[in-house]
């Protein structure tokens, strides 16, 4: 048996996992650095992962590959098996969904150009949010958000939410989102990100695998959920992120059964952004339920 060589970063580092039971591998394949809406550097995230005994790690900034090289170098320096990663913003049936790409070539021109296109929409969208928040008495959101980012193309609702939280005395960003930034609230500005097919197409062209991030977080009827998962699978999607830091245990189990029903695999990720904001720390991810095969066993093929 050998590791699957497909477009995979840091292949040789994964060799020790070959000896493990894939269901017991401690994987965190979803987190954010200060190159998107997290507060840590890629190096700090890697150190946290190592300290938590994570065995397989990926940094998945929103629509950005800026931290990949730093994460790779930091992971390699502590012998932490690492995959390239990204979380792509997609609009599907009028809703935002997130597709995580893993194990791709971070320099592939189609992926690089597609992500740049998404990032180029962020500033205009933040300006629109700024104007609509000003109408409900929250003036200055854009400047406040811009002062937090390292690059204007990273500007996100999280940066605006942090400013509202500080200004209005909220301790939980989820409350800020619920009051100001979610659907139907003053800061809700309709947006068209990438299409589902484009996102999976870019990931696949770059040799990686596509994962539907935190499936319990979308508000979809059972029929729409079925359509989304079918379309994701037809577009080449491989796994559901069943074990998400944002899922309750019953959601982990529900989506594990779902993944197995649709012949998809399971992925795991904390979706860590910052120590003071995340419910779970980096690496604190539920186990993959045994009804579904972990994504990473894909990379062990017999011949
Ligand atoms: P954006 O890409 O600008 O739309 O921002 C999306 C990010 O906002 C997500 O990745 C989360 O980090 C954060 N976010 C979205 N909804 C919520 C929520 N209800 N509570 C807390 N954070 C949220
Ligand atoms: Mn985020
Ligand atoms: Mn997400
Ligand atoms: Mn995320």
């Amino acid at each position: 048996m050998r590791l699957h060589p497909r477009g995979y970063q840091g292949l040789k580092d994964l060799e020790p996992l070959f000896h493990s039971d894939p269901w017991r591998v401690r994987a965190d394949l979803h987190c954010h650095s200060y190159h998107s809406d997290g507060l840590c550097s890629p190096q700090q995230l890697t150190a946290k992962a190592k300290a938590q005994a994570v065995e397989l790690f990926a940094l998945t900034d929103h629509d950005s590959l800026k931290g990949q090289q730093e994460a790779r170098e930091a992971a390699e320096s502590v012998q932490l098996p690492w995959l390239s990663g990204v979380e792509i913003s997609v609009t599907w049936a009028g809703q935002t969904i997130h597709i995580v790409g893993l194990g791709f070539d971070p320099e592939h021109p189609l992926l690089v150009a597609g992500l740049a296109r998404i990032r180029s929409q962020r500033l205009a969208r933040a300006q629109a949010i700024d104007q609509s928040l000003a109408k409900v008495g929250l003036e200055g959101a854009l400047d406040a958000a811009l002062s937090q980012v390292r690059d204007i193309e990273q500007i996100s609702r999280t940066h605006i939410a942090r400013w509202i939280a500080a200004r209005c005395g909220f301790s939980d960003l989820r409350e800020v989102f619920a009051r100001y930034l979610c659907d139907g609230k003053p800061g809700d500005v309709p947006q068209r990100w990438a299409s589902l097919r484009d996102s999976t197409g870019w990931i696949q062209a770059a040799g990686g695998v596509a994962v539907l991030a935190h499936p319990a977080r979308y508000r979809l009827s059972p029929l729409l959920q079925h359509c989304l998962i079918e379309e994701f699978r037809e577009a080449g999607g491989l796994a559901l992120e069943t074990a998400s830091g944002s899922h309750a245990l019953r959601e982990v189990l529900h989506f594990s059964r779902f993944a197995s029903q649709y012949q998809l695999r399971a992925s795991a990720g904390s979706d860590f952004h910052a120590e003071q904001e995340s419910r779970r720390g980096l690496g604190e991810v539920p186990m993959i339920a045994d009804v579904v095969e972990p994504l990473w066993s894909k990379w062990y093929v017999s011949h």
Side-chain angles (χ1 to χ4, degrees), residues 214-285:
H214 42 63
R217 294 283 70 81
Y218 311 123
R219 275 185 294 157
L220 297 169
S221 66
L223 178 62
L224 272 182
Q225 192 171 67
H226 165 79
C227 292
L228 170 63
I229 294 180
E230 276 292 323
E231 196 176 320
F232 170 70
R233 205 167 59 135
E234 277 165 24
L238 259 193
L240 302 186
E241 192 181 65
T242 58
S244 165
S246 76
H247 285 180
L249 198 56
R250 65 182 157 72
E251 294 170 329
V252 175
L253 293 172
H254 174 77
F255 282 97
S256 300
R257 286 191 207 105
F258 230 78
S260 121
Q261 200 180 318
Y262 285 84
Q263 285 144 354
L264 291 163
R265 291 177 180 248
S267 189
S270 60
D271 207 355
F272 179 85
H273 286 72
E275 215 60 73
Q276 57 275 39
E277 289 168 9
S278 299
R279 257 183 287 181
R280 292 173 199 255
L282 194 80
E284 287 175 18
V285 179

Side-chain angles (χ1 to χ4, degrees), residues 29-302:
L29 300 175
H30 187 155
C31 67
H32 298 274
S33 77
Y34 59 31
H35 292 301
S36 63
D37 60 350
L39 293 179
C40 299
S41 65
Q43 291 83 354
Q44 287 168 324
L45 294 170
T46 309
K48 283 178 191 289
K50 189 70 185 171
Q52 288 297 321
V54 168
E55 296 168 279
L56 183 57
F57 173 70
L59 168 66
T60 56
D61 279 316
H62 295 287
D63 313 312
S64 170
L65 302 175
K66 207 158 189 181
Q68 293 301 301
Q69 185 63 24
E70 290 165 74
R72 179 183 193 156
E73 282 166 14
E76 286 181 355
S77 75
V78 292
Q79 283 88 48
L80 172 61
W82 175 84
L83 292 168
S84 54
V86 69
E87 182 174 21
I88 305 182
S89 307
V90 162
T91 301
W92 185 86
Q95 285 209 31
T96 296
I97 62 160
H98 286 166
I99 300 293
V100 163
L102 296 167
F104 49 79
D105 168 8
E107 286 171 5
H108 192 280
L110 203 60
L111 176 64
V112 168
L115 297 177
R117 238 178 3 253
I118 301 178
R119 291 197 308 273
S120 71
Q121 298 173 240
R122 284 192 170 273
L123 181 59
R125 184 244 205 166
Q127 285 164 334
I129 296 176
D130 174 82
Q131 286 171 12
S132 64
L133 287 176
K135 289 187 192 139
V136 294
L138 283 171
E139 279 170 5
L142 182 64
D143 289 343
L146 283 173
S147 73
Q148 299 167 46
V149 297
R150 301 169 77 84
D151 184 334
I152 55 172
E153 291 193 322
Q154 287 167 240
I155 195 163
S156 79
R157 287 184 298 161
T158 310
H159 300 105
I160 296 172
R162 288 189 183 121
W163 167 73
I164 298 175
R167 176 173 158 151
C168 303
F170 292 103
S171 59
D172 188 340
L173 287 191
R174 276 171 296 178
E175 207 178 328
V176 176
F177 270 88
R179 285 191 189 214
Y180 293 102
L181 296 166
C182 286
D183 292 358
K185 300 297 170 183
D188 170 33
V189 171
Q191 191 63 31
R192 267 196 66 196
W193 303 116
S195 73
L196 177 58
R197 270 180 198 279
D198 277 349
S199 71
T200 56
W202 303 333
I203 295 165
Q204 285 174 300
V209 297
V211 177
L212 179 63
H214 42 63
R217 294 283 70 81
Y218 311 123
R219 275 185 294 157
L220 297 169
S221 66
L223 178 62
L224 272 182
Q225 192 171 67
H226 165 79
C227 292
L228 170 63
I229 294 180
E230 276 292 323
E231 196 176 320
F232 170 70
R233 205 167 59 135
E234 277 165 24
L238 259 193
L240 302 186
E241 192 181 65
T242 58
S244 165
S246 76
H247 285 180
L249 198 56
R250 65 182 157 72
E251 294 170 329
V252 175
L253 293 172
H254 174 77
F255 282 97
S256 300
R257 286 191 207 105
F258 230 78
S260 121
Q261 200 180 318
Y262 285 84
Q263 285 144 354
L264 291 163
R265 291 177 180 248
S267 189
S270 60
D271 207 355
F272 179 85
H273 286 72
E275 215 60 73
Q276 57 275 39
E277 289 168 9
S278 299
R279 257 183 287 181
R280 292 173 199 255
L282 194 80
E284 287 175 18
V285 179
M287 293 292 276
I288 298 284
D290 60 4
V291 294
V292 60
E293 189 156 359
L295 174 64
W296 41 92
S297 63
K298 178 87 184 163
W299 289 306
Y300 307 110
V301 292
S302 45

